[in-house]
Amino acid sequence: MSGTGTTAADDPLQTAVWRLRSRACWADAAELLKPESAAAALQRAALLVERCLYTEQGWEEAEDALRTAEALAHTDDERGAAACERGYVAYAATLHGVRDRSDEARAALGRAAALIPRESPARALLDFRRGLVAQNLADAPQAARAAFRRAHAGATAHADALLLSFTWRHLAGLALRDGELAEARHGFAESLRLREELGYLVGTAPALASLADTEPEPEASRLREEARRLFRLLGGVPTWLAAQLTPPPTAEPATA
């Protein structure tokens, strides 16, 4: 989930991985990475775990990649990153109803917190994922907001634009839940702006749909139609967006 997209100075391999990932081609991106080092194995596992969250498929491949990454991890940073991915796949499996792994998610993210130093760039991603667990598994919006704010500050400090697009989006979602429409609109707009600038195509449709929930007509309908176009272009990914983008049923005409 973390990343900054591509720049002229990027490594060609990482540029290729990013372009595939941003277009929902996680398996193809993972194929480019040879799990011969802890860093490559962790990145490969992260791609396949992210695919699970967006597509609700590929669970076994993600677990295999994660076990490889865990076996290659030797430093605290590497073990912490692997634990963070372990917690994330457990979170995704619980969220999508594959199996209740909420306890595993909390335990793994707790291990990651004990291993990853507070000043590490990886800490922001960990804080964000702990916020997701608090928000979506524990229904604890105050704890989620605190975690998202820590993640937002960390992503800002380390110039992680992609993670910022997620923290803006989730903080905006909590603001909308509390009826803070202007704050929510600003957050969703910032998330959309960052994703468009990065070329993060797979995340653009959700950002458009969320912003539409804060806009009046006809702008709301225009944003939702653009989100539907991108959703169809990517073959129905992310799967969980389908319900949000389905138009309301047309009322049947009255009959005598």
Side-chain angles (χ1 to χ4, degrees):
M1 184 173 295
S2 187
T4 55
T6 58
T7 68
D10 274 353
D11 175 83
L13 172 61
Q14 291 302 320
T15 297
V17 168
W18 166 257
R19 287 176 176 167
L20 289 166
R21 174 193 179 190
S22 65
R23 288 159 177 76
C25 300
W26 294 279
D28 292 337
E31 282 296 312
L32 297 178
L33 299 167
K34 305 305 178 187
E36 298 168 349
S37 67
L42 281 165
Q43 186 180 9
R44 187 172 184 276
L47 288 167
L48 295 175
V49 169
E50 188 173 78
R51 178 178 66 164
C52 293
L53 185 70
Y54 277 78
T55 69
E56 304 179 56
Q57 297 177 358
W59 301 98
E60 286 301 321
E61 293 92 334
E63 292 286 353
D64 287 345
L66 188 49
R67 283 190 288 269
T68 299
E70 289 168 335
L72 289 172
H74 297 299
T75 68
D76 282 352
D77 282 346
E78 291 165 354
R79 285 191 289 266
C84 189
E85 293 304 326
R86 171 65 62 191
Y88 197 43
V89 75
Y91 161 79
T94 306
L95 187 72
H96 287 311
V98 177
R99 182 160 59 89
D100 185 355
R101 297 172 60 182
S102 53
D103 288 344
E104 181 187 352
R106 293 186 186 93
L109 295 177
R111 286 198 306 276
L115 290 164
I116 298 173
R118 291 193 177 275
E119 66 275 10
S120 169
R123 190 75 186 203
L125 179 61
L126 171 61
D127 284 334
F128 176 73
R129 289 176 173 177
R130 296 181 90 178
L132 291 176
V133 170
Q135 180 182 29
N136 296 321
L137 303 189
D139 191 24
Q142 293 305 320
R145 182 179 284 106
F148 291 149
R149 284 175 175 166
R150 290 194 301 272
H152 191 82
T156 300
H158 295 287
D160 190 336
L162 182 59
L163 183 55
L164 275 173
S165 82
F166 282 90
T167 56
W168 272 121
R169 172 173 160 76
H170 282 267
L171 286 167
L174 291 173
L176 185 61
R177 171 176 169 158
D178 291 342
E180 301 292 340
L181 187 62
E183 183 180 342
R185 182 183 296 119
H186 174 70
F188 288 140
E190 284 297 297
S191 177
L192 176 61
R193 177 185 64 79
L194 287 166
R195 291 179 180 193
E196 288 180 335
E197 288 178 358
L198 290 168
Y200 189 56
L201 194 61
V202 73
T204 301
L208 287 163
S210 293
L211 183 59
D213 290 340
T214 68
E215 293 285 0
E217 294 294 353
E219 180 65 5
S221 291
R222 185 193 71 78
L223 290 167
R224 289 193 184 95
E225 185 52 41
E226 178 64 9
R228 289 188 194 100
R229 185 187 71 80
L230 288 174
F231 181 71
R232 291 192 296 266
L233 179 67
L234 293 175
V237 176
T239 54
W240 42 262
L241 192 60
Q244 189 176 347
L245 292 179
T246 301
T250 304
E252 292 293 330
T255 57

